[in-house]
Amino acid sequence: MSMFLDEFAQAPGLRYLNHAAVAPWPKRASQAVSRFADENVFLGARDYPQWMVMEQRLRERLMRLTNAPSIDDIALVKNTSEALSFVAFGLQWQVGDQIVISDEEFPSNRIVWEALADQGVHVIQVSLKGQDPEADLLAACGDRVRLLAISAVQFASGLRLDLVRLGQGCRERKVLFCIDAIQQLGALPFDVQAYQCDFAMADGHKWMLGPEGLGVFYCREDIRPQLKLSEYGWHMLEHMGDYTRSDWKPAHSARRFECGSPNMLGAAALDASLSLLEEIGMQQVSALVAERVQWLYEGLSAIPGVRLHSPQDPQRRSGIVSFSIAGKDNAKVYQQLNQEQVVCIPRGPGVRFSPHFYTTKQIIDETLLIVRQIAER
C-alpha cells in the first residue's frame, strides 16, 4: 500500500477530504498529461493511431470498472449531466408518463427529469428517510411509471442504496432503471449486470481520480436503438473514418452518443488514474475507503456536540461522512476547517468529509482534533 501513497503529492499541511466533489490526481495522471502535451508540441498528431489505442484501453478499463458485458456498451461523455440528458431526451414519452426519483438527488438527477414537464411527464419524489427506502421507491412505481432514476449513493448524506434489489424490482415492474453512479464508481465495486440497470453514468473527476470534462455512459445493448439521438457528427457513425461515404447510420455501439472529436487529453489522464485503481483492485480500494470512513465515524462520535447525518449501518455507508456540531453554523464550521487546510464542503444538513483509499491515519487524526477544537470553542 505504501508504494501507492507515493502517487499523491499533496501540499504540506493539506488535509484533503473532498473526493466526493473533485479529487486530486495521482502523479501518473499528471505525467500522462505532460507526455501528451509534449507529443502535441513536438510531434503534433503524428502518432494519432497510438492515441486511439489509448482511448480504446480507457474504454476497456471502464468496461471492467462497471462490469459492462461489452466495450460496445461504453460511451465516453463530457459529464454525468450529458449522459442523463441522452436518456431523458432520447426516450419517447407519452403524456401522463411518470418518473420516480428520490427527494435527495443532486440537481443533475432531478432537473433533467423535471425538464420533461412540457411533454406531460410527471416526476415523483420519494423520501429516503423511511426504514426501507428501496421498498418505498418501488412502491411508488405504479402503472404509469416508465423509469426509476436514482443515485447509487446520495451526495449529501452518503446513503448507499441496494441496487441489486432496485434493479430486480424494476425488471418485475417493467420499469427502466437509471443509475447516477458518480458517488460510487471508483470508491466501491459497481456491477451493471448485477444491478440489471438500463443506464448508468458517472464523471471521472471524483472517486475515479481523473479530470473534469470526461465521464462514462453505460447503455444496455437492447435499449440503445430506443434512444432518439440529438447530436450528430463524424465520430458517431457506424463507418467512422469513411469520409466519402454518402449513406450513413449511427454506430450500433454506444459510440453513437459521441458525436465529434474525443477529449484525448482527458482520456490520457483518466486512463492513467484508472490504471492505479486496477492495480490496487476495487475490492481493496473499497475496504480501504470503509476503514477510513470508520475512523471518521469513531472519532466524530467521540466529540461532544457532533451529530452524524450519514448512515450508521455499514451496509448503507459509502465514502461520504456528513456531520454537524450543535450550536454551530455549518458554513462557519466549514470556513474554520478550510482555514486549517481541511478540504471539505458543506452539503445538506452538515459538513461533508470524503476520504479515499490513500488518505492517511495522520490526516484523519489531525482533522478530528481540529473538529474537536471547533466544537469546544
Side-chain angles (χ1 to χ4, degrees):
M1 179 60 195
S2 59
M3 63 180 291
F4 296 118
L5 293 181
D6 294 338
E7 285 280 354
F8 297 91
Q10 294 177 4
L14 190 72
R15 304 170 181 95
Y16 205 95
L17 296 171
N18 206 28
H19 297 85
V22 178
W25 295 2
K27 287 181 182 177
R28 65 179 66 188
S30 174
Q31 292 164 354
V33 168
S34 294
R35 288 193 299 270
F36 186 78
D38 287 343
E39 284 187 43
N40 277 270
V41 169
F42 296 108
L43 301 175
R46 187 196 70 179
D47 296 331
Y48 199 95
Q50 291 305 309
W51 298 357
M52 296 181 71
V53 170
M54 177 269 295
E55 186 197 45
Q56 183 77 354
R57 186 172 63 235
L58 171 59
R59 292 178 192 274
E60 292 170 353
R61 294 194 199 280
L62 289 166
M63 177 190 70
R64 291 191 291 270
L65 189 64
T66 59
N67 195 33
S70 167
I71 195 173
D72 287 345
D73 301 321
I74 298 297
L76 301 177
V77 294
K78 293 194 292 291
N79 45 55
T80 308
S81 297
E82 181 180 55
L84 286 165
S85 293
F86 286 153
V87 177
F89 295 95
L91 292 170
Q92 303 301 301
W93 302 97
Q94 302 294 324
V95 173
D97 282 347
Q98 297 175 341
I99 297 168
V100 170
I101 65 172
S102 84
D103 62 354
E104 299 182 19
E105 295 300 315
F106 191 75
S108 298
N109 198 35
R110 173 177 54 82
I111 291 171
V112 70
W113 312 116
E114 292 177 342
L116 298 169
D118 62 354
Q119 297 185 43
V121 178
H122 178 64
V123 176
I124 300 171
Q125 294 191 29
V126 175
S127 172
L128 300 179
K129 297 293 194 296
Q131 293 295 314
D132 193 342
E134 289 82 10
D136 293 338
L137 286 165
L138 293 172
C141 294
D143 293 341
R144 307 198 77 170
V145 171
R146 288 273 310 282
L147 179 138
L148 169 62
I150 197 73
S151 292
V153 170
Q154 292 302 318
F155 78 102
S157 69
L159 174 68
R160 181 183 182 185
L161 292 172
D162 185 342
L163 300 177
V164 171
R165 184 178 171 195
L166 288 176
Q168 182 59 35
C170 285
R171 293 283 77 76
E172 293 169 356
R173 292 163 175 79
K174 295 182 172 54
V175 169
L176 295 172
F177 187 28
C178 179
I179 302 173
D180 179 343
I182 197 168
Q183 296 294 3
Q184 180 165 333
L185 201 59
L188 306 169
F190 192 86
D191 189 336
V192 296
Q193 296 188 67
Y195 306 151
Q196 301 184 69
C197 61
D198 301 283
F199 317 103
M201 56 283 291
D203 279 271
H205 67 267
K206 298 185 187 291
W207 302 98
M208 286 187 273
L209 304 170
E212 291 187 290
L214 185 61
V216 59
F217 175 36
Y218 163 78
C219 184
R220 210 181 73 224
E221 179 181 13
D222 61 339
I223 204 164
R224 281 199 294 271
Q226 298 180 36
L227 294 185
K228 180 182 178 182
L229 298 174
S230 56
E231 298 181 358
Y232 292 83
W234 69 275
H235 194 269
M236 48 79 71
L237 302 177
E238 182 66 42
H239 300 284
M240 181 184 71
D242 188 348
Y243 304 125
T244 61
R245 189 176 183 130
S246 58
D247 63 312
W248 60 271
K249 61 181 179 179
H252 76 282
S253 71
R255 184 166 51 79
R256 62 174 39 218
F257 302 110
E258 305 170 13
C259 65
S261 297
N263 178 3
M264 284 294 186
L265 182 64
L270 186 56
D271 175 63
S273 294
L274 292 185
S275 74
L276 175 61
L277 295 181
E278 285 198 330
E279 286 176 26
I280 301 169
M282 281 310 304
Q283 291 295 335
Q284 177 70 353
V285 168
S286 178
L288 292 169
V289 169
E291 181 180 54
R292 282 140 183 80
V293 165
Q294 180 64 24
W295 293 342
L296 284 170
Y297 268 81
E298 292 174 356
L300 289 168
S301 297
I303 300 173
V306 167
R307 178 186 175 190
L308 287 165
H309 301 287
S310 296
Q312 294 294 327
D313 181 356
Q315 296 300 315
R316 292 291 189 185
R317 292 182 188 176
S318 60
I320 290 171
V321 179
S322 173
F323 74 98
S324 58
I325 303 174
K328 305 286 186 180
D329 179 72
N330 287 331
K332 291 183 178 179
V333 172
Y334 161 70
Q335 290 171 0
Q336 291 170 313
L337 287 164
N338 189 256
Q339 289 168 2
E340 297 292 338
Q341 293 207 70
V342 178
V343 184
C344 57
I345 202 160
R347 286 288 184 266
V351 175
R352 187 182 72 185
F353 288 159
S354 48
H356 214 319
F357 73 90
Y358 67 90
T359 306
T360 64
K361 186 69 161 57
Q362 179 181 346
I363 286 175
I364 300 289
D365 289 342
E366 290 174 355
T367 299
L368 290 169
L369 178 59
I370 293 168
V371 173
R372 180 178 288 275
Q373 292 169 345
I374 293 172
E376 292 175 348
R377 287 174 191 167

